[in-house]
Amino acid sequence: MGGATEMQSQDHVARNREAWERMAADYVEAGHASWASDEVTWGIFSVPETQIRMLPNDLAGMDTVELGCGTGYVSAWLARRGARPVGIDNSPAQLETARRFQREFGLEFPLHLGDAERTPFADESFDFAISEYGAAIWCDPYRWILEAARILRPGGRLSFLGNSVLLMLCSQADDEDAPVTEKLERPLFGMHRFSWGDGAVEFHIPHGEMIRLLRDSGFEIEDLVEVQIPEGATTTYPFVTPEWARRWPAEEVWKARKR
Ligand SMILES: C[S@@+](CC[C@H](N)C(=O)[O-])C[C@H]1O[C@@H](n2cnc3c(N)ncnc32)[C@H](O)[C@@H]1O
């Protein structure tokens, strides 16, 4: 890979750290509510776990890792179900919030400052890896999925949730807050890196590419859930309406198992 392209392909980690240092304060209240609740729900419409089943049935005794853990509430839910969670996140401010909540709720587990594309963990350290809008959208899949495969034990499971491919195709260029339309606003072919006006960078790839990437990284795919929100569900995010998300999947969940 040439120098300029290589630099461009690496700079998202620094850019996303800057963006999350700015955004962290906006995530304290929602993070606190999720720590305080024992009901597991997912994504921007709070879809119940019973509908999409991100988690293994029995977490007791499992070593788990949350890739891009933010304020850490997912790992707190895992801990309360008997797992031994570890979180990693790229933003010191997000981890500071997570540590404050750990003290408040009396639930401590290891939190690492670092890049989910290059973690400090040994090979085959975990039984389950999860990301809800963490590495799932902020890391380059061609890096973080290989890293997840490295740190999972054979038979270990990976679940991740983020914006759906369809939603990204209907999103208007360069403004992450503009509501998605009912038109294909962007090409599918070549989709990978999305740069926003605030400097943040996200990644979304077509389903066929994700299937090949997961398989080539050593995973068997167990499911792809195109999430339909329950009737009456709402969101505080401006970029998609409940009406849209009742008709099309605003979010998708991938579940895979390491061979
Ligand atoms: C939306 S939060 C995810 C946490 C939580 N599930 C949620 O939805 O609020 C996204 C997190 O991804 C983290 N992140 C972004 N790039 C990352 C990277 N390269 N490695 C680890 N974490 C990263 C951010 O710092 C941020 O805390």
Side-chain angles (χ1 to χ4, degrees):
M1 208 184 271
T5 319
E6 176 67 16
M7 267 179 64
Q8 197 217 17
S9 74
Q10 302 264 13
D11 74 346
H12 61 274
V13 179
R15 288 172 62 165
N16 287 340
R17 177 173 288 182
E18 269 174 44
W20 275 100
E21 289 298 274
R22 281 196 309 274
M23 292 191 285
D26 300 333
Y27 282 74
V28 172
E29 197 181 319
H32 190 269
S34 297
W35 266 85
S37 169
D38 202 32
E39 197 197 335
V40 176
T41 63
W42 301 108
I44 64 168
F45 288 97
S46 302
V47 175
E49 164 67 4
T50 47
Q51 181 181 327
I52 55 179
R53 303 213 173 274
M54 292 269 291
L55 303 181
N57 287 336
D58 185 4
L59 282 152
M62 277 196 177
D63 293 308
T64 67
V65 61
E66 186 180 359
L67 301 166
C69 62
T71 59
Y73 58 84
V74 172
S75 289
W77 291 336
L78 300 181
R80 290 181 192 135
R81 284 159 181 76
R84 289 187 292 266
V86 172
I88 182 166
D89 200 279
N90 189 33
S91 156
Q94 287 278 84
L95 289 180
E96 203 179 297
T97 307
R99 291 201 178 94
R100 203 164 71 235
F101 292 159
Q102 287 193 328
R103 288 192 295 275
E104 180 181 337
F105 290 92
L107 192 55
E108 307 266 339
F109 47 83
L111 292 168
H112 295 260
L113 175 63
D115 175 9
E117 297 176 5
R118 280 177 254 209
T119 71
F121 310 123
D123 293 357
E124 303 187 1
S125 303
F126 299 102
D127 305 299
F128 180 54
I130 187 163
S131 171
E132 179 206 31
Y133 281 109
I137 70 163
W138 299 103
C139 290
D140 187 335
Y142 286 98
R143 296 173 191 268
W144 83 265
I145 286 180
L146 267 175
E147 181 65 356
R150 183 185 71 76
I151 62 180
L152 276 169
R153 298 182 177 125
R157 290 169 63 178
L158 169 67
S159 292
F160 57 99
L161 175 146
N163 313 102
S164 74
V165 166
L166 187 61
L167 178 132
M168 297 313 297
L169 294 181
C170 296
S171 69
Q172 299 177 57
D174 300 331
D175 184 356
E176 74 267 40
D177 287 336
V180 289
T181 73
E182 297 185 7
K183 270 182 19 211
L184 297 175
E185 303 281 355
R186 301 164 182 269
L188 176 89
F189 295 121
M191 77 184 277
H192 177 217
R193 181 182 159 114
F194 292 70
S195 302
W196 303 111
D198 64 358
V201 180
E202 285 179 29
F203 295 88
H204 304 273
I205 59 173
H207 288 163
E209 276 189 49
M210 183 61 87
I211 288 169
R212 285 186 290 278
L213 172 58
L214 283 164
R215 291 182 56 80
D216 291 350
S217 306
F219 288 103
E220 289 303 334
I221 295 163
E222 299 203 312
D223 205 357
L224 164 60
V225 182
E226 292 150 322
V227 181
Q228 184 181 33
I229 62 166
E231 212 150 344
T234 56
T235 183
T236 55
Y237 288 82
F239 62 83
V240 62
T241 63
E243 292 72 34
W244 198 101
R246 282 288 296 162
R247 297 180 72 197
W248 298 286
E251 298 174 320
E252 60 193 37
V253 180
W254 287 88
K255 301 178 202 174
R257 186 185 289 273
K258 185 174 164 181
R259 284 192 288 270

